[in-house]
Amino acid sequence: MASLTPSTEPKLTDLVPDLPPDVLAEPPHPDVELVARAKAGDTAAFEQLIRQYERQIFRTAQHITQNREDAEDITQDVFFKAFQKLDQFQGNSKFSTWLVRIAVNESLMRLRKRKTSKTVSMDQDVQTDEGSIPRDFAEWRPNPEQNYNQAELAEILRKTIAGLPPGFRTVFTLRDIENLSTEETAEALGLSVPAVKSRLLRARLQLRERLSRYFGKGKEPVKA
Amino acid sequence: MNCTDFLAKLTDYFDGEIEPELLAEVKEHLGTCSHCDVVVNTTRKTIDVYRGHQPYEFPDELSDRLRKAIMDRCVKSGVYPEVEKSADPQPR
């Protein structure tokens, strides 16, 4: 892909002349410059942004939709939408958080289409306290994974997280797998920080309870 | 602090966002309640096992195919009308 980047690279202040002084005082996140270049017509810069975040976006979409083909389509749609709306990205959040937010919306939309008679939203599964009350108090084996090979373990992890309601699965994915901060997760999901914390607690406890079936001490390994 | 109070603070405890006074209470509770101690240990392992074993593969072939498809759509959209496709892919 040809690049429109001139041989002498422009300074950030040339690309974004109205940056406030406090932004200039700290070294900007490298994405700020890449986004500015992409806005200015540099396709290589946009391609670099895809390289950096395609894995994260794909994983997030697959975790939420539990469908690989959907995740592929969503990954394409997310970056294409981001490309079309680059001018709307104001840099108030990280570019990656902005992408994740688009990915979550696209993924939930897919789930809605799949279940046309049911609404799927971040709020659909928070009406109950189920999942906040631990029942299994058995310690796990010292190294719980060693009873399973990689393929079996991957299947256990897929099946277990697939059993979570979408709202919990999404919060766990962003916060604990993709390592977003609580604030970034809240921003990406359009939720308050307390709501994220509450859902994260339930998601973690429900997953723990379900994995205990496989990893609990004294229990025979359950084949995935 | 009882078990219900402890559970309410579990997320803050894991995330290191708990006030020092409450942290002392949490540790005291964990020292006396084996059930909550198991919950903490196994919940931490739950997080670790997902972080350490990504269940979904993302091979290079898929990465290349998706990126090419995205860039094709971007160029065809006309937003970058003057850009022509290069024969040489960008280096990784």
Side-chain angles (χ1 to χ4, degrees):
Chain A
M1 192 74 58
S3 166
L4 298 181
T5 310
S7 55
T8 305
E9 295 194 348
K11 294 177 184 172
L12 181 61
T13 45
D14 295 334
L15 293 163
V16 193
D18 54 351
L19 275 176
D22 59 326
V23 171
L24 292 172
E26 296 176 14
H29 192 286
D31 288 354
V32 173
E33 187 162 348
L34 282 172
V35 170
R37 289 188 195 289
K39 282 183 182 179
D42 182 352
T43 53
F46 189 70
E47 197 164 0
Q48 179 60 33
L49 289 166
I50 299 174
R51 283 177 199 280
Q52 287 176 193
Y53 298 116
E54 60 188 351
R55 278 181 165 72
Q56 181 181 19
I57 296 303
F58 179 84
R59 281 194 310 247
T60 299
Q62 183 154 5
H63 273 298
I64 298 173
T65 64
Q66 294 293 305
N67 183 289
R68 198 167 181 83
E69 287 180 5
D70 281 348
E72 289 189 21
D73 291 345
I74 289 165
T75 303
Q76 287 193 41
D77 291 346
V78 166
F79 283 101
F80 185 59
K81 285 195 173 178
F83 172 79
Q84 288 180 307
K85 295 180 177 177
L86 266 185
D87 282 339
Q88 294 175 25
F89 178 68
Q90 300 298 319
N92 297 326
S93 61
K94 281 191 200 168
F95 185 70
S96 57
T97 308
W98 189 62
L99 287 177
V100 167
R101 181 163 196 157
I102 300 173
V104 169
N105 288 337
E106 291 289 318
S107 300
L108 291 177
M109 208 182 300
R110 288 276 169 152
L111 287 184
R112 273 182 221 118
K113 280 182 188 168
R114 213 186 291 162
K115 303 176 182 179
T116 47
S117 61
K118 286 175 77 178
T119 302
V120 177
S121 78
M122 289 302 297
D123 296 317
Q124 76 166 90
D125 43 39
V126 296
Q127 305 302 321
T128 168
D129 281 337
E130 195 258 333
S132 298
I133 308 157
R135 289 179 291 273
D136 192 320
F137 297 107
E139 208 20 303
W140 289 2
R141 300 180 200 100
N143 184 359
E145 302 105 304
Q146 69 191 176
N147 284 310
Y148 302 93
N149 65 38
Q150 284 297 313
E152 288 171 336
L153 184 61
E155 180 62 17
I156 289 169
L157 298 183
R158 277 196 294 268
K159 277 170 60 174
T160 303
I161 200 169
L164 283 188
F168 291 176
R169 200 160 68 219
T170 304
V171 170
F172 182 82
T173 298
L174 299 189
R175 185 69 188 80
D176 282 339
I177 300 180
E178 297 304 332
N179 228 7
L180 269 65
S181 69
T182 304
E183 289 73 19
E184 287 168 342
T185 304
E187 188 184 335
L189 301 182
L191 293 173
S192 67
V193 165
V196 167
K197 287 185 177 183
S198 167
R199 288 169 203 212
L200 183 60
L201 173 66
R202 295 183 193 187
R204 284 168 167 174
L205 291 178
Q206 280 198 25
L207 275 182
R208 180 204 83 92
E209 201 82 19
R210 289 160 192 256
L211 283 181
S212 288
R213 175 175 167 236
Y214 298 95
F215 298 155
K217 208 176 211 173
K219 296 177 185 176
E220 286 298 310
V222 181
K223 288 299 173 188
Chain B
M1 176 172 281
N2 61 30
C3 296
T4 305
D5 297 334
F6 170 77
L7 274 182
K9 292 292 167 193
L10 190 59
T11 299
D12 286 340
Y13 176 64
F14 274 132
D15 296 344
E17 295 175 354
I18 199 163
E19 302 88 344
E21 277 182 22
L22 269 177
L23 180 60
E25 286 186 44
V26 163
K27 286 183 174 173
E28 189 184 339
H29 180 74
L30 283 177
T32 57
C33 179
S34 60
H35 281 181
C36 285
D37 192 47
V38 167
V39 170
V40 166
N41 290 339
T42 50
T43 305
R44 201 186 299 281
K45 285 175 187 168
T46 296
I47 298 167
D48 290 345
V49 77
Y50 272 97
R51 281 195 180 147
H53 300 271
Q54 279 289 345
Y56 304 125
E57 295 177 351
F58 191 75
D60 288 347
E61 172 275 324
L62 175 59
S63 164
D64 292 342
R65 180 160 54 81
L66 285 179
R67 199 169 54 255
K68 183 179 181 308
I70 295 163
M71 293 308 292
D72 281 351
R73 280 174 74 179
C74 292
V75 171
K76 281 178 186 165
S77 72
V79 179
Y80 288 161
E82 67 272 52
V83 176
E84 292 180 3
K85 288 169 72 178
S86 161
D88 298 321
Q90 292 292 313
R92 275 186 180 274

